[in-house]
Amino acid sequence: MNCLPTLDGIDSMPHTPMDDTSLTHAVRAAIERAPCSVNRLAALAGVPQSTLSRILRGERAATADVAAAVQRALEQWSEDCAEAAEEIRRAREPNGR
């Protein structure tokens, strides 16, 4: 899977107490449902693992930059999985078509 570019300065953003905004709720739900570990998702999103863990624990609100990075990582994961599934489907067809 391709790694996404990192977003400079995300960890230096102010850490505010968690407010349960719809953005934070959506990011928390996405982290919980991700098809990989928090560590792997953080690496793919280019954000510190501690940032995602703190969002999960309710110690930090999600910023727009963190949300966008997680969204891109999950979209890339989805595209990569869809491509891999298509390759398998083609390989299973008679004559490889």
Side-chain angles (χ1 to χ4, degrees):
M1 175 169 297
N2 298 331
C3 289
L4 300 172
T6 61
L7 297 174
D8 294 329
I10 284 183
D11 201 37
S12 64
M13 293 177 186
H15 300 287
T16 58
M18 217 304 277
D19 61 355
D20 201 18
T21 65
S22 59
L23 180 62
T24 297
H25 179 74
V27 171
R28 188 179 321 117
I31 295 167
E32 290 172 344
R33 294 183 5 228
C36 58
S37 68
V38 173
N39 288 341
R40 181 72 174 138
L41 180 58
L44 291 170
V47 300
Q49 179 272 336
S50 61
T51 298
L52 298 188
S53 292
R54 291 181 71 210
I55 291 169
L56 275 176
R57 290 192 309 265
E59 297 173 0
R60 168 182 184 149
T63 64
D65 287 343
V66 169
V70 170
Q71 176 187 340
R72 284 192 302 268
L74 291 172
E75 287 171 345
Q76 183 63 52
W77 187 287
S78 176
E79 291 170 14
D80 290 349
C81 289
E83 289 172 12
E86 178 62 20
E87 289 175 17
I88 292 170
R89 185 190 64 74
R90 282 193 306 264
R92 292 182 64 220
E93 291 179 353
N95 301 323
R97 294 183 174 190

